[in-house]
Amino acid sequence: MRFGVVRFPGSCDDVDALAAAKRVGDAVILWHAERDLRGADVVVIPGGFSYGDYLRAGAIARFAPVMAEVIEFAHEGGLVMGICNGFQVLCEAGLLPGALLPNVSLRFVCRQVDLDVVNDQTPFTGACDLAETLSIPVKHTTGRYYAPPEELLELSAGGQVVLRYAEGHNPNGSLEDIAGVCNEPRNVFGLMPHPEHAVDPLTGSAGGLRIFESLRAHVDGRVAV
Amino acid sequence: MRARVLVRPKEGILDPQGQTVHRALEALGFAGVRDVHVGRLIELELDDSERLPEMCERLLANPLIEDWEIEDDHRAPEREADRP
Amino acid sequence: MRARVLVRPKEGILDPQGQTVHRALEALGFAGVRDVHVGRLIELELDDSERLPEMCERLLANPLIEDWEIEDDHRAPEREADRP
Amino acid sequence: MSTVASLSETPRHRQLGLTDHEYELILERLGREPNTVELAMLSLMWSEHCAYKHSRKLLRRLPTSGPHLLMGPGENAGAVDVGGGLALAFKVESHNHPSAVEPFQGAATGVGGILRDIFAVGARPIAVLDSLRFGEPERSERSRYLLGRAVAGIGHYGNSIGVPTIGGEVYFEPSYEQNCLVNAMCLGIAPRERLIRSAAAGPGNLVVLLGALTGRDGIGGASVLASAELGEGDEAKRPSVQIGDPFAEKKLLECCLELLDRGLLVALQDLGAAGLTSSISEMVSKGGVGVELDVSHVPLRESAMEPFEIMVSESQERMLCVVEPPRFDEVLAVCQRWETLATAIGEVTDSGHVRVLDHGEPVADLPVHVLVDDCPLYDLKPAPPAREAAGGEAPVAQAGGRGSDAPTLLALLRSPNICSRRPLFEQYDWIVQSRTVRRPGQTDAAVLALPDGSGIAVSIDGNGRRVYADPRRGAAEAVFECAANLACVGAEPLGVTNCLNFGNPEKPTVAWQLTEAVEGVASACEALDVPVVGGNVSLYNEAPAGPIFPTPVIGIVGKLPDVARAGRLGFAREGDAIALVGPFEPSLAASELEKLWGQPPIGPLPDADGGLLRHLHAKIREGVRSQTLRSAHDVAEGGVAVALAECCMAGRIGARVELHDALDSFGEAPGRGFIVSGPADALERWADSEPSGACTMIGEVCGDALQIVSRLSLPVDELLRAWGEGLDKFF
Ligand SMILES: Nc1ncnc2c1ncn2[C@@H]1O[C@H](COP(=O)(O)OP(=O)(O)O)[C@@H](O)[C@H]1O
Ligand SMILES: [Mg+2]
């Protein structure tokens, strides 16, 4: 299977995401200015500060040429995962519900947090167990998840809330401790924590690997079918 | 021509920046401040303002979380007159 | 009463945000945009606006790199009327 | 009005900071009067910042050779060989004055500047560290403001550009109230063969400016020229605060590295202080060539800039490179891909002159050596302060048994200089690039993994309070402490960088502090046999109340063969034995406890035997590498009691120890004492090995309280409560 990791001019965690993806499959960089997904089975929009995050995080990146392809891919059911800035981009692009607002502290926060898996029936969490706790770092200034109250209800009811910060671990004031959500068909997923930075105990923890493994298993299963 | 776009957090959405400024003003001894909100000011120099609403919708504001408003040319004072 | 403070980068000071938004608007096909600057909009609800200039100098703006301007009450439309 | 009048009566050269003597020298060397543009260029090149006129002679005292050295002082950054075909470039630099004026942008552009120094030598920046000094945060609102904004600025730049900030230090003393210190250090790696120097070469080659547009940013001393020439209403032409744009720098960084990977550059140099003038002069001076450039080719952000303004502008996010003409198109293509502006602004010549044109008309023509080499170097006139005579003996260390030390320990743990730094370093991304094996708070030195499974370690240290008390020993201590931090993770030091933050060197006392401190750094580096590969000097750090504490900041990088065996500072296992290691004879002189008591720092500090320390550090290092030691931590601020508390808190486990009666719980002797733990018999065998030195078994890891027999007993939770809130209330 192949991951495609998008690189915007201000992407920072693209190399990390590429390396993490390579632990479970093949992975290539997708250049923001090219409308080419290079045959990727899964598109990863990595963290960083695409376009310096000026205006609103993700607002400008969402118009990059490659994003037109990503949006089409997503509408056709392709797997897309946005991490941190990538999550912001997917919300801005309308592929995911809600928006991300400045942390309540108004400060950047880099911290290892615990996450509860609240839906293990997605391509991104299939290898996890329900209520499993993943230890994964966050690092962002704009990560407070927001959606209007009615929409929040629907998200919860529809299983679109995939990850929540464990009790006492919400680093940014996200509504209902939401750390990651997916779209209704469950092929697009965004999360503020950085699974690509949790793939090796040597550099922290390995909780994030579960997400890459889930994707691998999902794609393999699908290919086999 | 010149135009201004004012973007502000939608009512009802927590605005920690506004709250922080509010607290800081009080701490500095400014009494009688009841509420503060912080948003964005975008000033443009452009040939015509016809497409401004579209710019706001597509890029300058996120309608889910922000309201926007356009102030057109004649109300925007000159730069030189900025300082009171 | 209500008041608005508009804070903008001083002329000549690098405004990377403005530059980036400018390029983005062009890339989106909005022609005829000549210049863009991004600043802050601060909206206050307060008893009287007498000390507003002092608030600007001391807290709301950074006078080293920003200019500020006060728009007083009557020009600020109601929140409810924000959307055109 | 009167100031304007008197200003215009002052000769231009003096307004620009040149002495009459220096100006006469310029007249003599040139055989004529310099014009406005030339005077602006010369005044900057002959400034302290560029010419090091008060420090260069002293810096010669620093040892600069060593077996791992690849690039020493003189280049944008020094570099050492870390094996596996990789070079490690690193440097520390100050941005004190800009940060005191506008802390967010000052600190941010400080990080931007040191990053450029690193990629200017062809290395990819892999880590940043910061060293910060402010006034007392409890008493001073200004200090809290500076702290908050400077930290936010560092984070803003480092986090946005994707370089982790993996360590640093912050201290608070009243002497930094007006003049805060913001020093930033950067490390970068490169394949050895990609290291590039800044010497321009090849007459006919193009000089190409890369990156941001040029504006009136930070037109430093030369602003006098502007104000002298501008009339009323020209306010906009005043020099302005530099604003950092990490997004532009990220693209510039990737662009430069790609240009180097493709072998398209002859030379590369960043634009920093004194802008184009300094960069071009340095490049042609090092290459023994000349240059002709036309300022009308420089892409501008503002209209109607004067030639001198373009030559001295300090606009950020710009680089200068030399390109062979046939390769220019390829260069343009790479730059376009990275959305980075590239403009040929001139040509290398063999004239030995820097010739500046404006639309083809000459506006300056100066011999390179006059710009770069002819500035006089001054001898300092050091004199120790009067207090030395009355200084006398160090305060007698108080022995144990004076009742409970518990309240004292808690007070120290709460104090701003010792409490937890978590609220600060959480504002920095320390994980991006996936190399960080030991993050802030886990160890004394940060540790990064290299591709071959080895690791590098880095630490930054300096204690102005102690250097003030005893400049020579205090400065030497900073080197020893930094090296001790490396030993605790199992790393061997490879190279040193330093930033000398001092007051006005024309004052005899400051001159003495500087001279003594450089001697201290030099002798300590010699004793440890590690070269100084580069650094920076920041003088005139003064406020009306007087100079700052003399603050040499030391950064050391080291290497460990197996990164998976990097040490930790926290006690690891119940039942492990604890030892106090080292020729450790602490004193309360200039200690944090004395500070708590409100006493001024007075020397002398206890002396250190550098030769002995070198062996001791090697022994600690070997103990960590062989995993005999399950924890290692050096004793620094707050003495043994604080060090023990830190080991307990990091490991979330208690300890019971007994200290020799003569040993003060809170006495300090940085770099000389270590708290280590490990399995009892292995630890004892290790303790007996050479050099056995002073190695005392003092207790064991146990329970959930720190107990120092007959002195104190405190639950670890209580320690954590006192220490943990830390700096939070100041942000
Ligand atoms: N304290 C010091 N110790 C050793 N080398 C120093 C010191 N200060 C400056 N240098 C060296 O002098 C050269 C010029 O320094 P600097 O002007 O700061 O360089 P840049 O303009 O590249 O920032 C550099 O090679 C630097 O490493
Ligand atoms: Mg340099």
Side-chain angles (χ1 to χ4, degrees):
Chain A
M1 72 164 292
R2 171 178 274 199
F3 289 86
V5 178
V6 174
R7 174 175 289 165
F8 296 110
S11 294
C12 295
D13 302 276
D14 49 344
V15 178
D16 308 282
L18 194 73
K22 280 184 178 163
R23 287 173 183 257
V24 302
D26 176 26
V28 294
I29 287 285
L30 309 178
W31 183 244
H32 68 105
E34 285 158 16
R35 300 190 55 148
D36 182 359
L37 301 187
R38 303 182 62 187
D41 301 293
V42 179
V43 172
V44 178
I45 323 256
F49 292 78
S50 54
Y51 299 90
D53 260 5
Y54 296 130
L55 199 64
R56 289 181 316 282
I60 296 176
R62 144 246 194 305
F63 292 108
V66 74
M67 282 306 296
E69 290 303 308
V70 173
I71 291 169
E72 205 180 304
F73 178 70
H75 285 148
E76 286 164 2
L79 294 170
V80 179
M81 173 164 74
I83 303 168
C84 192
N85 189 238
F87 186 9
Q88 295 156 350
V89 172
L90 294 177
C91 287
E92 284 280 343
L95 288 177
L96 286 174
L100 293 143
L101 294 166
N103 299 348
V104 167
S105 69
L106 299 176
R107 297 204 301 256
F108 184 91
V109 59
C110 181
R111 186 183 292 168
Q112 194 79 22
V113 296
D114 284 349
L115 303 170
D116 294 333
V117 178
V118 286
N119 184 352
D120 63 352
Q121 303 295 308
T122 78
F124 309 91
T125 49
C128 306
D129 296 325
L130 205 58
E132 179 177 343
T133 299
L134 307 176
S135 174
I136 297 183
V138 291
K139 50 184 188 97
H140 57 251
T141 318
T142 308
R144 175 168 45 116
Y145 186 75
Y146 170 84
E150 329 76 65
E151 193 157 9
L152 273 184
L153 281 176
E154 281 171 29
L155 291 181
S156 288
Q160 284 179 253
V161 176
V162 180
L163 299 172
R164 289 189 208 271
Y165 300 107
E167 204 183 324
H169 284 246
N170 185 339
N172 49 34
S174 286
L175 292 180
E176 297 183 0
D177 298 323
I178 291 175
V181 298
C182 63
N183 61 350
E184 228 182 293
R186 301 187 180 180
N187 63 312
V188 180
F189 173 52
L191 73 171
M192 284 315 294
H194 285 265
E196 81 282 20
H197 285 297
V199 294
D200 186 349
L202 183 68
T203 48
S205 60
L209 199 55
R210 310 280 281 147
I211 288 176
F212 289 94
E213 286 165 350
S214 297
L215 282 162
R216 162 100 225 192
H218 181 87
V219 172
D220 283 355
R222 196 170 65 186
V223 169
V225 165
Chain B
M1 65 170 293
R2 274 172 185 220
R4 271 183 193 164
V5 175
L6 308 183
V7 179
R8 61 174 65 85
K10 254 193 204 307
E11 208 156 18
I13 296 190
L14 181 67
D15 172 19
Q17 224 183 329
Q19 291 178 347
T20 304
V21 172
H22 193 169
R23 274 196 304 272
L25 284 171
E26 283 173 348
L28 284 175
F30 292 105
V33 180
R34 302 239 207 83
D35 202 10
V36 183
H37 285 278
V38 178
R40 250 191 329 276
L41 163 71
I42 301 152
E43 297 190 304
L44 304 102
E45 177 77 47
L46 68 187
D47 291 344
D48 72 284
S49 62
E50 206 186 315
R51 297 187 69 192
L52 256 183
E54 201 187 331
M55 294 184 197
C56 291
E57 288 290 342
R58 288 192 67 195
L59 182 71
L60 302 181
N62 178 345
L64 185 67
I65 48 175
E66 294 166 329
D67 285 328
W68 51 270
E69 176 189 341
I70 295 170
E71 277 195 0
D72 50 17
D73 199 21
H74 63 278
R75 294 188 32 209
E78 289 295 297
R79 240 169 194 279
E80 293 68 49
D82 284 345
R83 305 295 294 271
Chain C
M1 65 170 294
R2 271 168 188 228
R4 268 185 195 165
V5 174
L6 307 184
V7 179
R8 61 175 66 87
K10 258 190 203 304
E11 206 158 30
I13 290 256
L14 178 69
D15 175 16
Q17 240 197 130
Q19 289 181 353
T20 307
V21 172
H22 190 174
R23 274 197 299 271
L25 285 171
E26 283 173 349
L28 282 178
F30 292 105
V33 180
R34 302 241 206 81
D35 202 10
V36 181
H37 286 280
V38 178
R40 270 195 316 283
L41 162 71
I42 301 151
E43 298 190 305
L44 304 101
E45 177 75 48
L46 70 187
D47 290 344
D48 72 284
S49 62
E50 206 186 312
R51 297 187 70 191
L52 255 183
E54 199 187 332
M55 295 183 196
C56 291
E57 285 292 337
R58 290 187 61 191
L59 183 77
L60 303 181
N62 180 347
L64 273 178
I65 52 177
E66 295 169 330
D67 283 330
W68 50 271
E69 177 189 340
I70 296 171
E71 278 197 357
D72 50 18
D73 198 23
H74 63 279
R75 290 180 44 202
E78 291 294 297
R79 242 173 191 277
E80 293 68 45
D82 284 342
R83 303 297 294 274
Chain D
M1 280 295 102
S2 63
T3 49
V4 172
S6 63
L7 208 66
S8 57
E9 281 158 21
T10 310
R12 280 255 173 106
H13 68 262
R14 258 194 250 158
Q15 294 179 41
L16 291 170
L18 293 171
T19 66
D20 292 349
H21 165 70
E22 286 164 356
Y23 188 61
E24 276 157 28
L25 208 62
I26 286 173
L27 295 181
E28 182 195 312
R29 293 290 147 92
L30 292 183
R32 62 179 169 87
E33 283 199 11
N35 65 28
T36 307
V37 180
E38 291 170 338
L39 189 59
M41 293 169 67
L42 284 163
S43 71
L44 286 174
M45 291 307 292
W46 286 34
S47 70
E48 186 65 46
H49 196 105
C50 292
Y52 286 81
K53 52 193 175 188
H54 286 97
S55 61
R56 185 165 289 180
K57 287 190 176 181
L58 270 184
L59 293 181
R60 291 182 188 141
R61 172 68 185 91
L62 299 173
T64 55
S65 60
H68 306 284
L69 187 80
L70 294 175
M71 229 183 218
E75 286 298 329
N76 286 303
V80 294
D81 190 338
V82 287
L86 288 178
L88 177 67
F90 59 101
K91 185 178 177 193
V92 59
E93 199 162 70
S94 70
H95 226 216
N96 303 334
H97 298 286
S99 301
V101 174
E102 211 308 290
F104 182 91
Q105 293 297 341
T109 52
V111 173
I114 191 66
L115 287 165
R116 284 194 295 284
D117 269 330
I118 297 304
F119 67 82
V121 299
R124 173 175 288 279
I126 58 167
V128 167
L129 296 92
D130 60 342
S131 172
L132 309 173
R133 303 289 184 281
F134 304 98
E136 295 292 347
E138 266 148 344
R139 270 173 270 150
S140 155
E141 192 192 319
R142 174 178 157 81
S143 293
R144 289 194 294 274
Y145 165 74
L146 291 175
L147 167 70
R149 297 303 290 163
V151 168
I154 291 167
H156 167 66
Y157 213 103
N159 301 342
S160 308
I161 201 171
V163 179
T165 302
I166 56 167
E169 48 156 18
V170 60
Y171 290 103
F172 304 92
E173 298 287 349
S175 81
Y176 305 112
E177 169 79 27
Q178 292 306 317
N179 197 127
C180 63
L181 300 185
V182 174
N183 291 185
M185 175 172 174
C186 183
L187 278 63
I189 50 173
R192 282 185 56 162
E193 63 281 0
R194 197 175 71 192
L195 281 186
I196 184 168
R197 295 183 185 258
S198 55
N205 283 342
L206 299 173
V207 174
V208 178
L209 183 61
L210 302 175
L213 300 175
T214 297
R216 288 192 178 85
D217 306 275
I219 296 187
S223 61
V224 192
L225 287 171
S227 55
E229 292 196 340
L230 302 176
E232 303 279 310
D234 276 337
E235 222 198 69
K237 289 200 179 181
R238 275 200 322 222
S240 49
V241 174
Q242 307 158 25
I243 307 286
D245 182 358
F247 177 47
E249 180 131 316
K250 169 75 177 165
K251 294 186 287 188
L252 183 62
L253 153 69
E254 297 297 343
C255 179
C256 288
L257 294 182
E258 186 170 336
L259 290 170
L260 288 170
D261 275 339
R262 292 172 184 246
L264 294 175
L265 305 184
V266 175
L268 182 62
Q269 162 78 27
D270 63 299
L271 275 79
L276 204 46
T277 296
S278 161
S279 299
I280 197 69
S281 305
E282 296 284 341
M283 288 182 94
V284 297
S285 164
K286 283 176 191 156
V289 290
V291 69
E292 181 169 291
L293 62 89
D294 194 318
V295 291
S296 67
H297 296 327
V298 174
L300 301 180
R301 195 177 77 229
E302 296 178 65
S303 55
M305 283 181 68
E306 302 283 336
F308 87 83
E309 291 181 303
I310 298 170
M311 287 306 295
V312 305
S313 157
E314 294 186 350
S315 290
Q316 303 287 299
E317 289 95 22
R318 298 180 302 163
M319 302 286 286
L320 205 56
C321 61
V322 175
V323 178
E324 291 166 5
R327 322 211 67 176
F328 185 51
D329 283 344
E330 255 179 287
V331 169
L332 285 179
V334 171
C335 292
Q336 199 167 21
R337 181 175 148 82
W338 287 107
E339 298 170 12
T340 293
L341 210 57
T343 319
I345 60 167
E347 212 178 275
V348 177
T349 64
D350 55 11
S351 66
H353 278 232
V354 174
R355 248 168 82 83
V356 182
L357 314 176
D358 181 16
H359 293 96
E361 293 298 316
V363 292
D365 190 346
L366 293 168
V368 175
H369 66 88
V370 177
L371 279 162
V372 178
D373 306 315
D374 288 355
C375 176
L377 301 183
Y378 297 111
D379 288 310
L380 299 179
K381 299 191 178 60
R387 70 179 160 83
E388 266 315 290
E393 282 302 294
V396 184
Q398 277 170 285
R402 62 184 157 194
S404 176
D405 282 342
T408 311
L409 176 58
L410 291 175
L412 281 172
L413 290 178
R414 244 182 244 117
S415 70
N417 280 351
I418 293 180
C419 67
S420 168
R421 269 69 184 124
R422 174 174 290 276
L424 191 159
F425 64 70
E426 272 194 349
Q427 298 181 51
Y428 301 147
D429 178 350
W430 31 255
I431 49 188
V432 68
Q433 297 194 18
S434 303
R435 287 191 191 85
T436 314
V437 170
R438 291 291 180 270
R439 50 185 68 174
Q442 281 186 327
T443 40
D444 290 302
V447 178
L448 298 172
L450 291 176
D452 65 358
S454 67
I456 51 183
V458 55
S459 175
I460 188 165
D461 266 297
N463 187 326
R465 190 178 165 75
R466 298 182 71 82
V467 179
Y468 176 80
D470 187 336
R472 184 181 301 211
R473 287 179 184 170
E477 266 180 15
V479 177
F480 294 136
E481 181 176 345
C482 212
N485 289 338
L486 260 54
C488 289
V489 295
E492 169 190 11
L494 299 181
V496 174
T497 182
N498 70 103
C499 187
L500 302 171
N501 303 276
F502 285 75
N504 176 355
E506 296 158 54
K507 291 184 180 172
T509 305
V510 173
W512 173 78
Q513 290 170 337
L514 187 56
T515 313
E516 288 284 296
V518 169
E519 180 57 36
V521 171
S523 57
C525 289
E526 280 166 358
L528 298 180
D529 195 21
V530 40
V532 175
V533 308
N536 180 243
V537 180
S538 171
L539 301 177
Y540 302 95
N541 290 288
E542 301 240 350
I548 58 163
F549 278 170
T551 314
V553 168
I554 305 296
I556 307 190
V557 300
K559 162 115 185 156
L560 48 166
D562 180 359
V563 76
R565 293 185 168 208
R568 291 178 187 274
L569 79 80
F571 290 142
R573 223 174 279 182
E574 178 101 24
D576 276 354
I578 302 171
L580 173 61
V581 190
F584 189 58
E585 286 164 16
S587 123
L588 284 180
S591 65
E592 285 298 321
L593 182 57
E594 276 204 355
K595 177 177 160 117
L596 205 65
W597 288 341
Q599 295 178 3
I602 295 173
L605 300 177
D607 199 5
D609 178 341
L612 194 64
L613 288 182
R614 183 178 171 200
H615 292 295
L616 174 67
H617 291 180
K619 176 172 172 151
I620 300 282
R621 180 164 80 226
E622 292 315 320
V624 171
R625 288 179 179 182
S626 64
Q627 299 192 317
T628 307
L629 305 183
R630 279 203 274 252
S631 80
H633 183 33
D634 67 310
V635 180
E637 287 83 10
V640 175
V642 166
L644 285 165
E646 288 166 342
C647 295
C648 289
M649 291 187 292
R652 297 282 193 279
I653 193 167
R656 185 178 179 282
V657 301
E658 204 167 344
L659 298 178
H660 190 279
D661 275 352
L663 186 71
D664 190 276
S665 306
F666 306 105
E668 297 177 15
R672 278 153 278 182
F674 295 84
I675 303 284
V676 301
S677 72
D681 42 346
L683 189 61
E684 258 166 61
R685 274 197 307 278
W686 174 84
D688 290 338
S689 68
E690 281 309 308
S692 56
C695 192
T696 322
M697 309 303 281
I698 57 170
E700 72 171 322
V701 177
C702 61
D704 49 17
L706 169 62
Q707 192 189 347
I708 306 180
V709 174
S710 80
R711 298 193 190 191
L712 65 81
S713 176
L714 286 164
V716 175
D717 280 345
E718 198 174 338
L719 301 175
L720 278 166
R721 266 197 304 279
W723 174 81
E725 186 202 359
L727 298 172
D728 217 7
K729 56 181 177 290
F730 305 131
F731 283 103

